[in-house]
Amino acid sequence: MSAVKVIAVSSGKGGVGKTNVSVNLACQLARRGRRVLLMDADLGLANVDIMLGLRPKWNLSHVLNGECQIRDILMTGPNGISIIPAASGIKKMAELGAESHGAIVRALSELDEDYDALIVDTAAGISDSVITFSQASQYVLVVVTDELTSMADAYALIKVMNRDAGISRFKILRNMVDSTEQARDGFERLNEVAQRFLDVTLEYAGFIPRDRFLVKADASQKAVSELFPGCDASLAFRKLAETVDKWPLPKGPSGNIEFFVDRMLKSDEQSGATA
C-alpha cells in the first residue's frame, strides 16, 4: 500500500473560495494522473456536492450513525475524483465532539482503494473539527484573500492551530487577487506578522486570480477546471497542482491522529522490510 499525501484546505473565514480551491485542486491533480479522494469536512454545511451539482443518497452522518460504511457513500466527480459528501443543514453534525471526529479519521483507513492524494475541505474558522482534521493531515493549505478580515482571520487560525494542535508549518494560497505582485505582497504582510509574534513557518503556495469564468462555473454547478480548462483560474489551479505534486510524501505517521494511519504504518513496515 502506498503512502497518501493528505492536504487540509482551510480558511479563517467563509467566502474566500476555499471549497472552490479544494474541488479544482482535486480535479487538476486527477488530470495529472493522480488518484484523488476529496472529503467534504464541513460536516454540517456541506458545499462540495452543491458546487458540483451532485445529489448524494448517503453522507458522513449515515456512517457515524452506523447505517453504512464509508465506502458506501463514495461518489465520482469530475476527472474521476472520488468524493466523500458531508451532511447539509444537520446541526448535530456541526457540533460533533473529538471522539466523532476521530471516528471519521479512522474510517478513512478502512477504504480499500489506493489513493495518491486526499484533499480535506474543512469548515471555515477555528472549530474543533478544523483543528482535528488539520492535525490529521500532512499539509495545511490556508486560503487567504486581500480582505482585511480574511487576513486577520487567517492569522487567528494559524495562531490557534499552532497553539492547540502543535502545527508549525503552513502553506499559504492567495485567492481572488489581480496580479502576481498583489499576491506576493499579501503573503509577505501575513508572513511578517506571523514571524514577529508566532513560532511558525509560512510558505507561499501561489495564487488564483480573480476570474469571471469562476462565477460562470459556479452558476453551472461545475468545476471551472472542467468547464473552462483554458481560463486564467484553471491555468492557476493547474500550476497549484504542479506545486502540490512536488511536496514530498510523508515517510510515516507524525505521532498525531492521522488519515490513513493504518495504511501509512503498513507502508512503513514494508519499506523497513525491504531496506
Side-chain angles (χ1 to χ4, degrees):
M1 296 219 180
S2 57
V4 185
K5 189 179 294 184
V6 187
I7 302 141
V9 182
S10 306
S11 65
K13 68 184 290 288
V16 300
K18 174 182 55 60
T19 299
N20 234 316
V21 169
S22 299
V23 167
N24 284 285
L25 173 57
C27 289
Q28 293 291 359
L29 284 172
R31 278 175 171 262
R32 294 177 61 79
R34 306 299 175 224
R35 296 159 298 181
V36 183
L37 177 61
L38 171 60
M39 175 182 167
D40 191 339
D42 193 344
L43 300 177
L45 295 170
N47 284 315
V48 170
D49 56 329
I50 296 169
M51 183 166 288
L52 294 175
L54 302 175
R55 289 171 176 76
K57 178 182 178 183
W58 306 95
N59 58 56
L60 280 171
S61 70
H62 299 104
V63 176
L64 288 177
N65 289 338
E67 298 174 53
C68 61
Q69 301 296 311
I70 197 158
R71 64 180 62 88
D72 299 326
I73 71 174
L74 288 176
M75 303 186 76
T76 301
N79 300 113
I81 64 174
S82 297
I83 296 170
I84 296 177
S88 185
I90 299 180
K91 188 170 182 284
K92 70 174 184 177
M93 286 296 290
E95 298 171 347
L96 292 175
E99 188 176 334
S100 295
H101 297 149
I104 293 172
V105 173
R106 288 188 292 274
L108 265 289
S109 298
E110 298 169 8
L111 288 174
D112 296 323
E113 295 83 350
D114 260 340
Y115 292 104
D116 300 306
L118 165 60
I119 309 297
V120 185
D121 182 40
T122 74
I126 51 177
S127 67
D128 289 344
S129 73
V130 174
I131 293 171
T132 299
F133 294 140
S134 296
Q135 193 175 25
S137 304
Q138 292 113 26
Y139 294 99
V140 179
L141 180 66
V142 181
V143 182
V144 188
T145 69
D146 234 27
E147 293 179 24
L148 286 177
T149 50
S150 175
M151 298 284 275
D153 290 349
Y155 174 82
L157 174 70
I158 291 166
K159 179 179 179 180
V160 170
M161 283 193 187
N162 178 242
R163 183 190 67 204
D164 295 353
I167 300 170
S168 59
R169 302 184 75 88
F170 299 86
K171 306 286 189 180
I172 306 298
L173 179 71
R174 300 278 284 117
N175 196 26
M176 294 188 278
V177 295
D178 298 315
S179 66
T180 305
E181 295 75 19
Q182 184 187 17
R184 272 286 184 184
D185 177 65
F187 168 76
E188 294 299 343
R189 280 185 283 133
L190 180 62
N191 190 39
E192 183 182 343
V193 178
Q195 293 304 309
R196 186 183 303 176
F197 298 108
L198 305 176
D199 185 21
V200 298
T201 300
L202 306 188
E203 298 174 8
Y204 182 65
F207 74 97
I208 309 298
R210 202 182 307 276
D211 191 337
R212 61 190 176 90
F213 286 105
L214 263 172
V215 180
K216 288 186 175 184
D218 285 349
S220 302
Q221 290 185 290
K222 299 281 187 182
V224 71
S225 296
E226 177 189 28
L227 197 58
F228 304 111
C231 74
D232 290 344
S234 293
L235 296 178
F237 282 121
R238 187 170 75 184
K239 187 173 181 180
L240 174 63
E242 291 172 3
T243 299
V244 169
D245 236 0
K246 294 173 184 173
W247 296 349
L249 277 166
K251 294 180 180 178
S254 67
N256 296 324
I257 182 171
E258 297 192 51
F259 288 110
F260 291 108
V261 67
D262 294 341
R263 185 172 302 187
M264 292 171 69
L265 284 169
K266 288 176 184 175
S267 177
D268 251 18
E269 289 167 4
Q270 289 171 358
S271 62
T274 57

